[in-house]
């Protein structure tokens, strides 16, 4: 639920990083925080468990500059990926404008990816939103592990499992190394802002 | 979904919050929506809070508390208050979609604040109704 403040000429947009636990959602935000520190005036907010896993969400506000005379404020959130935290995941999705689904490329995470996407579909439906109608980018994370001979799901399999019906843009990425992290973010911002513009017309 | 508010409505809401809450010594007051967006925020001079993070956390916190209410059979808790040694924070729901956050020190009593918050919400509701229906 984006908000346009006509007085301050400011648009606030909410983008959520979703996906299975330990998939790299928080690492995406940490990389963005480091890379764009000059545009981020505050600390990144994280609510973690003692074991350093996301408990509620991570939050990172990012100033994008001006588009058509309006200051665009992007609010980046992650959800907790662990299955047991569905109630909090659902809360973070409230009013979402755009989504990044961070899939884990490890072979043994195939089923968790599919289940997490299905969970996203269900949680969006509880807000009467259809996954096919919301701006969405897929990110196949941890591709860097291939060079360590760790077995990864081929991109064709990830596409078949997750993207055969959605046909969303997908990026092969390494959140740890920062590969395609910025590109993923730029694409979801582009799609979300374009979608808001269409809605305003 | 997208919604907007114009200069007139936002000025009106700011005036209400200034006259009823900032005037009695509240350090910071924010009207946010349940997605964590800031509709209006006012601070009393020297206190520079990170209001974007505060709004995100407040919306999440309020959502979590409402979910707890449902688990114990309540429809909702419409009022939430956290007491600190020097500074406290008070949340109050405005319609279904908005939350009024007041940050205040020991110089303001909770009872008086609650009275003034209720007064402010009644006035804000009229302005929000006007704004959301146009």
């Amino acid at each position: 639920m984006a908000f346009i403040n006509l007085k301050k000429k400011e648009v606030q947009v909410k983008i959520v990083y979703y996906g299975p636990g330990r998939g790299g959602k928080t690492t995406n935000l940490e990389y963005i925080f480091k890379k764009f520190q000059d545009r981020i005036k505050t600390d990144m907010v994280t609510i973690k468990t003692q074991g350093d896993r996301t408990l509620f969400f991570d939050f990172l506000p990012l100033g994008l500059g001006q588009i058509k005379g309006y200051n665009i404020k992007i609010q980046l959130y992650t959800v907790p990926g662990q299955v047991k935290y569905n109630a909090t995941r659902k809360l973070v999705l409230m009013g979402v404008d755009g989504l990044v689904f961070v899939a884990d490329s490890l072979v043994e995470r195939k089923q968790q990816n599919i289940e997490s996407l299905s969970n996203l579909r269900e949680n969006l439906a509880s807000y009467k939103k259809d996954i096919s109608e919301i701006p969405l980018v897929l990110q196949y994370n941890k591709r860097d592990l291939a060079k360590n001979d760790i077995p990864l799901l081929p991109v064709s399999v990830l596409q078949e499992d997750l993207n055969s019906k959605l046909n969303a843009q997908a990026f092969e990425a390494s959140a740890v190394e920062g590969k395609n992290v910025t590109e993923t973010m730029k694409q979801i911002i582009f799609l979300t802002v374009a979608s808001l513009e269409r809605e305003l017309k | 979904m997208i919604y907007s508010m114009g200069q007139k409505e936002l000025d009106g809401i700011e005036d209400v919050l200034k006259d009823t809450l900032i005037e009695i010594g509240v350090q910071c007051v924010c009207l946010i929506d349940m997605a964590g967006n800031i509709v209006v925020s006012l601070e009393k001079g020297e206190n520079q809070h990170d209001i974007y993070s505060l709004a995100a956390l407040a919306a999440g916190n309020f959502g979590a508390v409402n979910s707890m209410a449902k688990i114990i059979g309540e429809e909702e808790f419409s009022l939430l208050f956290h007491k600190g040694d020097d500074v406290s924070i008070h949340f109050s729901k405005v319609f279904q979609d908005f939350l009024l956050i007041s940050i205040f020190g020991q110089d303001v009593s909770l009872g008086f604040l609650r009275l003034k918050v209720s007064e402010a919400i009644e006035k804000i509701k009229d302005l929000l109704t006007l704004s959301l229906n146009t």
Side-chain angles (χ1 to χ4, degrees):
Chain A
M1 190 167 57
F3 172 57
I4 304 178
N5 186 321
L6 296 168
K7 184 184 173 189
K8 286 164 83 179
K9 288 200 163 276
E10 181 185 275
V11 183
Q12 294 173 51
V13 178
K14 181 173 186 175
I15 289 172
V16 175
Y17 282 65
Y18 208 95
R22 293 194 191 279
K25 301 175 290 297
T26 299
T27 312
N28 262 271
L29 255 63
E30 282 170 347
Y31 179 82
I32 294 165
F33 182 50
K34 264 187 219 153
K35 187 158 183 197
F36 297 96
Q37 223 153 18
D38 55 325
R39 292 188 186 192
I40 302 166
K41 305 278 182 283
T42 61
D43 279 340
M44 179 170 152
V45 174
T46 60
I47 308 177
K48 288 178 178 176
T49 64
Q50 282 186 329
D52 221 23
R53 307 284 304 272
T54 304
L55 173 64
F56 202 153
F57 59 79
D58 305 305
F59 170 73
L60 189 59
L62 184 70
L64 198 68
Q66 287 205 341
I67 297 180
K68 293 186 180 169
Y70 280 80
N71 268 316
I72 311 291
K73 297 260 184 196
I74 304 289
Q75 329 263 35
L76 301 175
Y77 288 77
T78 67
V79 296
Q82 292 182 83
V83 175
K84 62 182 173 184
Y85 295 139
N86 195 46
T88 46
R89 230 176 355 256
K90 213 160 137 181
L91 281 176
V92 178
L93 274 183
M94 188 182 280
V96 63
D97 299 303
L99 280 158
V100 174
F101 184 84
V102 181
D104 192 328
S105 294
L106 291 172
V107 168
E108 66 264 27
R109 307 290 284 168
K110 181 179 162 77
Q111 196 53 34
Q112 282 92 333
N113 288 331
I114 295 169
E115 283 167 9
S116 178
L117 188 64
S118 154
N119 172 257
L120 170 60
R121 219 181 277 269
E122 283 166 23
N123 283 341
L124 285 173
S126 74
Y127 291 118
K128 299 189 171 41
K129 284 187 177 173
D130 186 335
I131 194 170
S132 60
E133 287 168 12
I134 194 161
L136 172 73
V137 171
L138 269 66
Q139 184 188 78
Y140 304 141
N141 193 21
K142 305 190 185 175
R143 302 311 296 181
D144 56 298
L145 294 178
K147 61 183 179 234
N148 299 330
D149 290 332
I150 293 171
L152 297 183
L153 292 161
V155 170
S156 59
V157 171
L158 286 160
Q159 283 282 85
E160 178 61 31
D161 284 351
L162 309 170
N163 205 15
S164 59
K165 285 185 187 150
L166 293 171
N167 285 317
Q169 183 157 4
F171 289 90
E172 292 179 50
S174 163
V176 167
E177 294 179 351
K179 189 191 164 204
N180 276 341
V181 169
T182 307
E183 288 73 8
T184 305
M185 182 188 70
K186 278 185 181 166
Q187 183 62 15
I188 191 58
I189 290 173
F190 171 75
L191 290 177
T192 308
V193 172
S195 157
L196 295 175
E197 268 187 338
R198 275 198 304 277
E199 210 178 312
L200 277 174
K201 277 177 190 166
Chain B
M1 196 191 147
I2 188 165
Y3 73 103
S4 63
M5 281 190 209
Q7 169 111 29
K8 197 178 154 198
E9 293 79 18
L10 291 167
D11 279 345
I13 293 170
E14 278 185 14
D15 286 346
V16 167
L17 297 180
K18 210 179 284 172
D19 293 347
T20 49
L21 296 170
I22 298 290
E23 198 64 23
I24 66 161
V26 170
Q27 294 174 7
C28 173
V29 58
C30 298
L31 181 70
I32 68 167
D33 65 26
M34 293 301 180
N37 295 315
I38 297 167
V39 177
V40 165
S41 71
L42 291 173
E43 285 202 80
K44 203 176 187 182
E46 73 277 16
N47 301 294
Q48 289 296 317
H49 297 96
D50 173 8
I51 50 168
Y52 283 95
S53 299
L54 186 73
L57 290 164
N61 183 36
F62 201 81
V65 168
N66 265 0
S67 298
M68 282 192 275
K70 289 197 172 68
I71 289 170
I72 65 158
E74 283 293 323
E75 185 51 40
E76 64 179 21
F77 299 129
S78 57
L79 188 145
L80 189 61
F81 166 64
H82 297 308
K83 179 156 176 45
D85 283 342
D86 298 317
V87 181
S88 300
I89 186 162
H90 175 277
F91 306 84
S92 202
K93 201 171 176 181
V94 186
F95 290 137
Q96 282 302 306
D97 299 316
F98 298 93
L99 196 58
L100 186 67
I101 307 166
S102 309
I103 299 169
F104 60 104
Q106 287 185 334
D107 50 334
V108 179
S109 79
L110 177 62
F112 189 44
L113 178 91
R114 288 181 61 181
L115 195 73
K116 296 304 268 182
V117 163
S118 302
E119 188 186 319
I121 286 176
E122 280 312 306
K123 291 177 184 167
I124 286 173
K125 275 184 174 173
D126 293 341
L127 291 161
L128 282 174
T129 308
L130 196 72
S131 175
L132 297 174
N133 290 335
T134 50

